[in-house]
């Protein structure tokens, strides 16, 4: 038994996760390459390796010819006299196996054989790493910050390094070397130099995956994240729905004393997260999405995907949010173009008054009123971080993909 070779293959299989069968094939190819380098051809060379003992045999198939003078090619033919030394029953015209001693190979042939094995190991190692992280594409992993490459950041994920581009970084976030952070794998590319992994800290799916990891009810399917809207580093709105009437979707996501959502807020470096209930009725959904602002009435048009919202005069700036953020995120969350006016403004604005719909079949567009607590917070919704009292009356809608309106 070739114990040294067996031990080496066992170590490679354990550390590099390369199958033994692949390594056996690499050894066979390397011996054939060495024969070709040593003899000039290897068309008739065969290699056999015992998978259990790791003993190998390298031989050439040669045709038996009568005498030395009849030999036209030493690599393909052998005289009868020499063939009888190998097999006493050999006769002219037979094909006989002639063993090739690998120790007889020259230095160059040996070096080439070694290179073939190393090259195969490197290729398989890259392939294993690529497959491992390709399976984790569109998922969240934990990495260690290594160094800054210009404005990009190199992050070690264990067996491979990932690149966090400047465009995928949250503004204001600064990382120190050896710091552990969670990132969302955007794409895994297979390149000649190994897998190229692109990760993100700004993608909305990062928040979704963090909730899936933190909230058991989401992981087992009891609670579903229906929609998510995010402005990285500032605020995220999450609409959730419970498939079990006995389970409160918002409460499950928030956790006792906010333990679950606070863990995610800490991971996102203080980004504010609003968790609201999803509702099939667009009016209720829009009202929930504009939380924590108090809503007087919502007139939603499912066909046009537009909604007109009336709020108390003192709640207008809260409903719109700082620089329009609250209404903008609500529009993304619901997919509706939202036009917000105060009660005073709504009196003279078409479409914002009840009487505008009295003569129309507007079953789904009834105004929706909800009770609010004395401090003005929306009852039954989870809101963390609060809104700022800034902004004026505005018209907000979810911009088309590729549009810059969302950032304006």
């Amino acid at each position: 038994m070739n114990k040294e070779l067996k031990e080496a293959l066992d170590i490679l299989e354990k550390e590099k996760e390369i199958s033994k069968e692949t390594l056996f094939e690499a050894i066979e190819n390397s011996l054939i390459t060495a024969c070709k380098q040593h003899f000039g051809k290897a068309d008739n060379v065969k290699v056999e390796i015992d998978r259990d003992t790791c003993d190998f045999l390298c031989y050439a198939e040669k045709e038996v010819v009568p005498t030395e003078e009849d030999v036209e090619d030493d690599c393909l033919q052998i005289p009868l006299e020499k063939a009888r030394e190998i097999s006493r029953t050999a006769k002219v015209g037979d094909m006989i196996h002639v063993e090739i001693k690998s120790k007889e190979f020259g230095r160059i042939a040996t070096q080439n054989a070694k290179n073939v094995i190393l090259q195969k190991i490197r290729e398989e190692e890259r392939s294993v790493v690529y497959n491992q992280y390709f399976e984790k594409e569109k998922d969240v992993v934990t990495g260690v910050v290594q160094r800054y490459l210009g404005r990009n950041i190199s992050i070690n994920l264990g067996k491979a390094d990932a690149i966090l581009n400047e465009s995928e970084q949250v503004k204001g976030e600064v990382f120190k070397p050896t710091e552990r952070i969670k990132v969302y794998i955007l794409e895994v590319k297979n390149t000649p130099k190994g897998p190229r992994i692109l990760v993100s800290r700004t993608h909305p799916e990062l928040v979704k995956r963090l909730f899936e990891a933190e909230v058991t009810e989401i992981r087992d399917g009891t609670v579903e994240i229906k929609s998510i809207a995010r402005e990285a580093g500032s605020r995220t709105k999450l609409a959730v729905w419970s498939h079990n009437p006995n389970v409160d979707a918002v409460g499950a996501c928030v956790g006792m004393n906010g333990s679950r959502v606070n863990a995610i807020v800490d991971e996102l470096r203080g980004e504010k997260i609003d968790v609201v209930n999803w509702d099939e009725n667009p009016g209720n959904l829009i009202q929930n999405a504009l939380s924590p602002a108090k809503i007087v009435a919502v007139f939603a048009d499912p066909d046009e995907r537009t909604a007109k919202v009336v709020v108390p005069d003192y709640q207008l700036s809260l409903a719109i949010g700082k620089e329009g953020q609250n209404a903008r995120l609500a529009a993304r969350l619901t997919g509706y173009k939202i036009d917000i006016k105060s009660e005073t403004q709504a009196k003279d604005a078409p479409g914002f008054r009840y009487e505008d719909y009295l003569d129309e079949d507007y079953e789904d567009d009834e105004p929706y009123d909800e009770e609010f607590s004395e401090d003005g917070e929306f009852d039954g919704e989870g809101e963390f971080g609060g809104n700022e009292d800034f902004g004026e009356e505005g018209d907000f809608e979810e911009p088309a993909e590729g549009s810059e309106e969302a950032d304006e």
Side-chain angles (χ1 to χ4, degrees):
M1 178 182 289
N2 195 331
K3 292 184 178 180
E4 292 182 359
L5 179 59
K6 193 174 189 306
E7 290 175 0
L9 295 179
D10 289 337
I11 293 172
L12 282 171
E13 185 177 42
K14 184 177 180 180
E15 293 184 356
K16 306 290 187 181
E17 296 183 10
I18 303 174
S19 67
K20 281 187 180 180
E21 187 59 36
T22 300
L23 295 170
F24 282 132
E25 291 176 3
I27 294 171
E28 290 172 357
N29 291 334
S30 69
L31 289 171
I32 292 174
T33 301
C35 290
K36 188 172 183 179
Q37 185 73 33
H38 186 72
F39 299 111
K41 62 177 67 176
D43 298 336
N44 62 327
V45 175
K46 306 291 181 184
V47 178
E48 294 179 357
I49 302 179
D50 191 309
R51 268 45 174 175
D52 296 325
T53 64
C54 291
D55 292 328
F56 65 90
L57 174 64
C58 184
Y59 61 88
E61 291 183 339
K62 294 186 179 182
E63 182 185 2
V64 180
V65 295
T67 62
E68 287 279 0
E69 289 76 14
D70 296 318
V71 176
E72 297 177 358
D73 190 336
D74 288 337
C75 295
L76 301 177
Q77 296 173 325
I78 184 173
L80 180 61
E81 184 179 349
K82 291 184 178 180
R84 288 279 171 85
E85 294 176 1
I86 300 171
S87 175
R88 294 181 180 180
T89 60
K91 55 181 185 270
V92 176
D94 287 350
M95 298 299 294
I96 193 170
H97 293 175
V98 180
E99 184 178 358
I100 299 173
K101 300 290 186 181
S102 58
K103 293 182 180 180
E104 297 175 0
F105 293 156
R107 180 180 61 83
I108 296 176
T110 305
Q111 186 64 36
N112 287 341
K114 176 184 175 182
N115 290 339
V116 169
I117 296 175
L118 292 177
Q119 179 66 21
K120 184 64 176 178
I121 291 174
R122 283 193 291 267
E123 288 177 1
E124 285 300 313
E125 188 175 4
R126 285 197 293 266
S127 177
V128 168
V129 173
Y130 170 77
N131 291 333
Q132 178 180 341
Y133 286 99
F134 182 76
E135 292 176 357
K136 295 180 180 180
E137 198 174 66
K138 312 302 180 189
D139 205 352
V140 171
V141 296
T142 301
V144 178
V145 176
Q146 288 187 310
R147 60 189 180 278
Y148 277 82
L149 305 173
R151 294 186 177 181
N152 300 333
I153 303 175
S154 174
I155 298 176
N156 182 264
L157 302 181
K159 293 188 176 181
D161 292 340
I163 299 297
L164 180 61
N165 291 324
E166 182 185 9
S167 60
E168 299 297 336
Q169 298 175 28
V170 176
K171 291 182 180 179
E173 277 192 349
V174 179
F175 302 109
K176 297 178 181 178
T178 70
E179 190 173 358
R180 296 179 70 84
I181 61 172
K182 291 186 184 295
V183 292
Y184 178 76
I185 298 181
L186 284 175
E187 186 180 20
V188 181
K189 298 180 180 177
N190 199 3
T191 68
K193 294 184 179 180
R196 177 178 172 81
I197 305 171
L198 301 177
V199 296
S200 172
R201 286 276 294 178
T202 62
H203 203 284
E205 286 289 317
L206 172 63
V207 180
K208 184 177 181 180
R209 298 298 184 192
L210 289 175
F211 268 98
E212 289 175 354
E214 190 72 29
V215 181
T216 308
E217 289 81 359
I218 294 178
R219 202 159 52 245
D220 64 20
T222 304
V223 175
E224 180 184 355
I225 297 176
K226 285 284 192 176
S227 181
I228 185 169
R230 184 186 186 201
E231 290 190 359
S234 180
R235 182 180 292 276
T236 294
K237 281 185 179 288
L238 202 72
V240 294
W241 169 263
S242 175
H243 293 282
N244 186 341
N246 297 321
V247 176
D248 175 21
V250 173
C253 294
V254 173
M256 185 173 293
N257 297 325
S259 58
R260 289 177 172 178
V261 74
N262 285 336
I264 297 171
V265 169
D266 292 341
E267 178 60 42
L268 298 176
R269 307 296 177 95
E271 182 175 317
K272 298 165 187 174
I273 300 177
D274 298 340
V275 184
V276 302
N277 277 312
W278 172 269
D279 200 302
E280 294 295 339
N281 189 305
N284 284 339
L285 176 60
I286 292 168
Q287 182 165 280
N288 294 347
L290 287 171
S291 170
K294 179 179 179 180
I295 309 300
V296 174
V298 178
F299 304 101
D301 186 346
D303 297 328
E304 297 293 330
R305 305 293 291 178
T306 60
K308 300 183 186 300
V309 179
V310 182
V311 299
D313 292 355
Y314 70 93
Q315 290 274 305
L316 179 60
S317 59
L318 183 61
I320 293 174
K322 185 178 180 181
E323 299 178 352
Q325 184 186 68
N326 192 54
R328 186 166 58 248
L329 287 174
R332 293 182 187 173
L333 191 72
T334 61
Y336 276 71
K337 175 182 177 180
I338 301 176
D339 188 4
I340 303 175
K341 292 188 185 297
S342 65
E343 287 182 294
T344 302
Q345 296 164 341
K347 290 178 182 178
D348 303 321
F352 285 85
R353 299 165 300 188
Y354 300 140
E355 55 266 27
D356 295 333
Y357 303 99
L358 292 178
D359 298 329
E360 299 180 19
D361 184 10
Y362 210 70
E363 295 179 1
D364 291 334
D365 301 336
E366 293 292 335
Y368 299 92
D369 293 322
E370 292 287 347
E371 294 183 1
F372 288 74
S373 58
E374 293 180 359
D375 59 2
E377 291 188 359
F378 184 74
D379 291 339
E381 307 302 340
E383 191 280 325
F384 302 88
N387 284 297
E388 301 291 345
D389 290 332
F390 295 95
E392 298 296 338
E393 168 193 350
D395 190 3
F396 303 90
E397 66 177 316
E398 173 65 12
E401 186 175 350
S403 169
E404 298 179 358
E405 290 180 15
D407 301 323
E408 293 179 357

